[in-house]
Amino acid sequence: MQNKSRKTKPKVFITRIIRDKGLDLVRESCTVDLWTGELPPKREELLEHVNGVDGLLCLLTDRIDAEIMDAAGPGLKVISNHAVGFDNIDVMAATLRRIPVGNTPGILTDATADMAFALMMAAGRRVVEAEKFLRQGKWKTWSPSLLLGVDFAGATIGIIGFGRIGQAVAKRATGFSMRILYYDPNLLIENSDLPVISTDLDTLLRESDFISLHVPLTPETRHLVNAGFLSKLKSNAVLINTSRGAVVDQVALYQTLKEHRIFAAALDVTDPEPLPLESPLLKLDNCIIVPHIASASIQSRDMMSYISANNLLEGLNNQRLPHCVNPEVYD
Ligand code: NAD
């Protein structure tokens, strides 16, 4: 006979195979419904699989809104996002239902800042274009004016959004002897260890040779980079986006790059994702695009898996999430 006093394990839905570090942890104490598809669950599939779960571990590709929370039902205790950004979740809807939402800050900061720098260097020094040139058999001889790029030493970098990743990019920029400006209306760092200057946005756009975006996607930052923004940049400017695709108006960026009004752009994130192959941006040599891989280092992804699993388990145990984006649920 079944022992009725034995506690049943909480039921969780995990929307994609995550790294073992977190998956094994969740499997130890939960009944796991794991989505093993290569692509994310479709809306109907998500609605079906969340039904009756106690916890949800989701990815940035899953739109988690009130309908999903209600489909899960009143037992839903925690939503744990396998990302630091949480624009895919209706946090207000979660807060109204007193559901804590977790994210994975900090552990992907260095990997993302490294990628911002990798893209900056690749775009500034035309690495991808040069590689294509070679493979196409166009390399005939060394030439004084072949594939000239822009300089880093002494150049000005403008960092928009000076949180964890923005500051990690600034740290790297000091190694390149760059002048560092930042714009972040929510933050004024006094006596920073880093030689950085806080400016208004217009000054940053007018003076920067490199512009790196590190803001969350919010109603205020959606299409922050629009035609007006781009018209203020220097003709040698290089724009880097490792934040979220919708921070940039891609139509305006395409026009600007096509007319060579700035030097280049490099995007880790696009809108939509994946970027359709017909996108005109893919026809431009002065635009590098990679498939949202800024945090894709082994260590970062292991830790994202672990931290999102840990947030999930703490939430299921009615404990405060170690990384909670709506702490007001505990008030
Ligand atoms: P963070 O919260 O530490 O920093 C974000 C900063 O942006 C904050 O200081 C905030 O004050 C500032 N900000 C908000 N609105 C602004 C505005 N309108 N103008 C200027 N600054 C503004 O976050 P973080 O850990 O540095 O991550 C930043 C973002 O990067 C995330 O929200 C996420 O969307 C994105 N991200 C992308 C990847 C990737 O794989 N491409 C990886 C990690 C993070």
Side-chain angles (χ1 to χ4, degrees):
M1 223 174 81
Q2 212 179 354
N3 180 357
K4 283 197 177 155
S5 67
R6 189 126 114 238
K7 243 176 96 185
T8 52
K9 288 179 171 184
K11 273 172 59 182
V12 302
F13 180 44
I14 303 184
T15 63
R16 207 86 58 78
I17 298 176
I18 58 170
R19 307 273 298 165
D20 287 347
K21 208 174 172 88
L23 195 52
D24 292 347
L25 199 64
V26 179
R27 278 182 160 146
E28 275 170 26
S29 54
C30 301
T31 302
V32 176
D33 176 9
L34 175 67
W35 185 260
T36 53
E38 193 192 340
L39 295 178
K42 294 197 184 90
R43 187 75 185 167
E44 319 81 76
E45 292 163 334
L46 190 53
L47 283 164
E48 188 191 325
H49 282 258
V50 294
N51 185 10
V53 297
D54 303 291
L56 173 63
L57 197 159
C58 52
L59 270 59
L60 55 83
T61 40
D62 306 309
R63 184 164 54 85
I64 307 299
D65 55 15
E67 190 188 15
I68 298 286
M69 296 172 204
D70 291 341
L76 182 63
K77 281 178 153 182
V78 55
I79 299 171
S80 176
N81 211 30
H82 182 278
V84 61
F86 46 87
D87 46 276
N88 57 312
I89 297 176
D90 184 342
V91 175
M92 207 184 283
T95 306
L96 276 173
R97 289 160 179 77
R98 304 200 75 75
I99 303 169
V101 175
N103 71 339
T104 65
I107 39 85
L108 40 52
T109 295
D110 283 321
T112 307
D114 288 343
M115 181 55 84
F117 241 88
L119 289 173
M120 208 181 302
M121 301 210 70
R125 294 301 302 273
R126 303 170 65 176
V127 174
V128 176
E129 192 186 345
E131 223 259 357
K132 204 159 95 189
F133 175 91
L134 178 146
R135 284 177 190 260
Q136 289 171 345
K138 293 182 181 168
W139 185 20
K140 303 295 180 209
T141 182
W142 188 91
S143 163
S145 299
L146 180 62
L147 289 161
L148 300 188
V150 294
D151 287 288
F152 284 72
T156 297
I157 181 171
I159 298 172
I160 302 181
F162 205 58
R164 289 171 290 252
I165 301 171
Q167 292 178 42
V169 167
K171 214 184 275 177
R172 285 154 179 75
T174 60
F176 284 79
S177 310
M178 296 170 101
R179 174 173 172 255
I180 305 164
L181 307 180
Y182 76 85
Y183 168 70
D184 191 322
N186 309 317
L187 192 81
L188 181 61
I189 297 178
E190 286 172 9
N191 306 321
S192 166
D193 291 344
L194 295 166
V196 294
I197 305 162
S198 165
T199 64
D200 58 86
L201 185 57
D202 271 14
T203 307
L204 182 146
L205 301 184
R206 270 198 321 271
E207 296 190 8
S208 298
D209 303 297
F210 299 90
I211 298 96
S212 197
L213 304 171
H214 300 289
V215 291
L217 177 62
T218 64
E220 292 78 46
T221 62
R222 183 173 291 274
H223 285 198
L224 170 72
V225 179
N226 55 21
F229 177 114
L230 291 162
S231 71
K232 293 176 186 151
L233 300 185
K234 292 164 106 175
S235 57
N236 66 316
V238 175
L239 176 77
I240 309 302
N241 189 12
T242 57
S243 62
R244 284 288 182 264
V247 173
V248 174
D249 172 352
Q250 284 172 190
V251 175
L253 179 64
Y254 171 72
Q255 276 307 326
T256 305
L257 289 169
K258 186 167 173 265
E259 292 163 18
H260 293 276
R261 283 190 268 124
I262 65 174
F263 188 78
L267 313 174
D268 175 56
V269 283
T270 60
D271 182 26
E273 292 183 0
L275 186 68
L277 281 179
E278 307 79 53
S279 167
L281 283 172
L282 292 170
K283 298 194 167 48
L284 301 174
D285 274 338
N286 55 352
C287 187
I288 295 175
I289 307 178
V290 295
H292 203 148
I293 53 165
S295 70
S297 74
I298 294 164
Q299 194 177 308
S300 288
R301 289 291 165 85
D302 279 349
M303 286 308 291
M304 285 166 75
S305 162
Y306 174 76
I307 297 214
S308 56
N310 200 35
N311 274 334
L312 181 81
L313 297 180
E314 292 294 335
L316 291 171
N317 286 328
N318 300 315
Q319 298 298 309
R320 201 182 172 98
L321 307 195
H323 302 285
C324 184
V325 304
N326 58 344
E328 55 276 20
V329 293
Y330 298 115
D331 289 345

